[in-house]
């Protein structure tokens, strides 16, 4: 979708607003390269300096990332998300997992109280995809499927702020999950299929207490694996 032409006085702010809208709306997804400067100049019908200032402002917030000789890429879907990701890059795996535990306990509880039939179908599908990836021995796909499963629970909680927070945690969670999945622990701890199925069963039953207990049970195993040395912990000096 082409950018709207701007002819009002505060052009830089308008360009920033439009770029933020394209990012938040998914037309410039996280991880993709934005159009080159000459293309943006033509689409916006503004000067090169205006485009540069707008891009520079979004780089400063952390939403955009310039890559020498390659272009500018979308790094986060919002300024808030960029701030969260910057902080998490300085956190240890265990710290990140503890934050995850807090969010997932509440997500499971609220999902049990608020889920729709469509939410439940999405959860069953996400659980099945997670299991397929595990059985296929594709660990990167398994981690992706696990994150998607928990995002689906967060969505079923029908709290937009909670869902956004969990989504912004995803990059840090991916590194943490790699530590847990790669740990020298039994497959039952790395996979935790029964524990994940118990969460869905409790959500389906509308049992908020059982959903919270099931979420805590599987998270406790993961935190124990990290405390026992599941891979190097990240520090501010080693931000990974």
């Amino acid at each position: 979708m082409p950018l709207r032409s701007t002819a009002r006085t505060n052009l830089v702010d308008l360009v920033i607003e439009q770029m933020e809208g394209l990012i938040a709306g998914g037309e410039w997804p996280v991880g993709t390269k934005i159009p080159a400067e000459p293309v943006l100049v033509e689409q916006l019908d503004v000067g090169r300096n205006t485009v540069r200032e707008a891009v520079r402002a979004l780089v400063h917030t952390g939403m955009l990332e310039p890559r020498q000789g390659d272009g500018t890429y979308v790094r986060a879907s919002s300024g808030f998300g960029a701030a969260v990701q910057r902080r998490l890059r300085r956190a240890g795996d265990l710290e990140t997992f503890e934050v995850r535990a807090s969010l997932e306990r509440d997500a499971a509880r609220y999902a049990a109280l608020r889920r729709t039939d469509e939410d439940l179908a999405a959860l069953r599908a996400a659980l099945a995809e997670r299991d397929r990836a595990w059985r296929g021995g594709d660990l990167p796909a398994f981690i992706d499927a696990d994150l998607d499963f928990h995002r689906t629970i967060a969505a079923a909680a029908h709290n937009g702020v909670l869902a956004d927070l969990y989504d912004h945690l995803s990059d840090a969670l991916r590194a943490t999950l790699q530590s847990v999945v790669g740990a020298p622990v039994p497959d039952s701890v790395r996979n935790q299929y029964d524990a994940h199925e118990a969460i869905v069963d409790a959500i389906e039953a509308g049992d908020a207490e059982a959903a919270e207990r099931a979420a805590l049970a599987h998270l406790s195993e993961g935190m124990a694996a990290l405390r026992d040395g599941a891979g190097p912990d990240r520090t501010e000096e080693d931000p990974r």
Side-chain angles (χ1 to χ4, degrees):
M1 174 182 126
L3 295 173
R4 300 189 308 274
S5 177
T6 56
R8 293 164 61 185
T9 54
N10 198 345
L11 293 180
V12 173
D13 286 345
L14 289 172
V15 172
I16 291 171
E17 182 181 340
Q18 290 190 27
M19 288 182 174
E20 288 176 332
L22 289 169
I23 293 169
E27 293 190 51
W28 289 358
V30 173
T32 61
K33 183 163 64 173
I34 70 170
E37 183 180 280
V39 176
L40 291 175
V41 166
E42 182 177 352
Q43 290 178 336
L44 287 163
D45 192 24
V46 294
R48 189 176 296 267
N49 286 339
T50 300
V51 170
R52 286 179 180 172
E53 286 185 46
V55 170
R56 189 179 301 118
L58 292 177
V59 168
H60 180 72
T61 68
M63 291 180 69
L64 296 179
E65 177 186 27
R67 299 182 186 175
Q68 188 66 34
D70 190 15
T72 301
Y73 284 75
V74 180
R75 187 171 189 173
S77 59
S78 70
F80 172 70
V84 171
Q85 289 175 21
R86 281 198 302 272
R87 179 61 186 90
L88 289 173
R89 283 195 294 273
R90 302 196 306 272
D93 284 334
L94 182 57
E95 286 183 311
T96 301
F97 212 85
E98 287 173 346
V99 173
R100 174 193 180 186
S102 297
L103 290 177
E104 287 190 14
R105 284 197 302 263
D106 284 340
R109 166 179 284 278
Y110 292 131
L113 298 172
R114 301 170 181 171
R115 63 90 177 162
T116 65
D117 290 342
E118 290 77 12
D119 292 328
L120 186 59
L123 277 170
R124 292 291 182 193
L127 182 62
E129 181 60 32
R130 184 181 182 279
D131 190 46
R132 276 193 294 270
W134 176 262
R135 292 180 184 277
D138 188 340
L139 292 185
F142 172 73
I143 290 172
D144 286 342
D146 186 78
L147 288 171
D148 184 62
F149 172 81
H150 291 289
R151 284 194 196 99
T152 304
I153 293 176
H158 294 279
N159 181 311
V161 175
L162 190 154
D164 283 348
L165 279 170
Y166 195 87
D167 195 50
H168 293 317
L169 274 173
S170 292
D171 285 345
L173 288 178
R174 187 179 306 279
T176 305
L177 285 170
Q178 286 169 347
S179 294
V180 174
V181 170
V185 295
D187 279 353
S188 60
V189 175
R190 295 197 294 156
N191 181 4
Q192 298 181 311
Y193 178 84
D194 290 344
H196 284 72
E197 186 177 42
I199 299 172
V200 180
D201 288 344
I203 290 173
E204 181 175 20
D207 190 334
E209 298 294 334
E212 186 174 1
R213 285 196 304 270
L216 180 60
H218 101 82
L219 290 162
S220 296
E221 288 186 337
M223 284 189 284
L226 287 172
R227 290 190 187 101
D228 291 341
D233 205 28
R234 286 171 294 150
T235 64
E236 189 157 352
E237 289 75 31
D238 177 26
R240 199 186 303 183

